[in-house]
Amino acid sequence: MILTPLAIATAAAFAGAAAYVSLSEQPARLALDDMSLLREWKPSYAKGLEMQATLALISGLLGLTAFYFERHPAAAVGGILMLANWPYTLLVMAPTNKTLGSTADEDAGPASRTLIVKWGKLHAVRTMLGIAGSCAFVFASFAT
């Protein structure tokens, strides 16, 4: 069936985008001064949220659907890993995201920089969830 390959594709897109943020965008933005750093983080986070939330949801649902129809336990594992991005973001990352989002650009300083560094570490967990979910889906596709 097509469900597992679609789950792989969406999970890989999520993992690739998350890895790009963790390995390229975050280190580059940390080279900016505090105000520019915060100004860059805000729209970047907003756009990333739209894309990654959608990809995590679609991939997770595809994985669970693949498990239901194709009976590959690894597809269920992949689906759960991808969907885990939602509660992780809402419960663990949200306080940092809200504080940074509500900080006025002119109030940027060492405290906002520290929070963005913390955010980068928290985001790395999302990257790992995406990679693990992708791997689970690949494993499920070989179990056919």
Side-chain angles (χ1 to χ4, degrees):
M1 287 197 76
I2 190 79
L3 294 170
T4 302
L6 287 173
I8 293 170
T10 52
F14 175 93
Y20 169 78
V21 170
S22 292
L23 299 172
S24 183
E25 186 174 309
Q26 178 73 353
R29 88 176 89 198
L30 289 173
L32 300 171
D33 64 87
D34 293 339
M35 186 181 293
S36 298
L37 172 62
L38 184 60
R39 281 185 179 158
E40 195 284 331
W41 181 87
K42 287 179 181 180
S44 174
Y45 171 75
K47 286 298 182 185
L49 174 66
E50 292 173 16
M51 178 185 62
Q52 288 189 320
T54 303
L55 286 170
L57 180 63
I58 292 170
S59 180
L61 293 176
L62 282 167
L64 294 178
T65 305
F67 170 70
Y68 180 79
F69 287 109
E70 300 169 8
R71 299 290 183 221
H72 300 304
V77 171
I80 291 167
L81 286 167
M82 295 308 298
L83 290 174
N85 281 287
W86 276 76
Y88 176 77
T89 301
L90 294 171
L91 298 173
V92 177
M93 294 185 74
T96 301
N97 297 340
K98 288 179 183 175
T99 301
L100 286 168
S102 65
T103 302
D105 293 345
E106 54 275 358
D107 293 335
S112 60
R113 176 172 292 274
T114 299
L115 280 177
I116 292 175
V117 168
K118 176 183 177 183
W119 178 90
K121 292 174 184 175
L122 294 172
H123 187 269
V125 173
R126 291 171 44 86
T127 302
M128 300 311 325
L129 286 169
I131 291 169
S134 297
C135 290
F137 291 141
V138 169
F139 184 78
S141 73
F142 285 115
T144 309

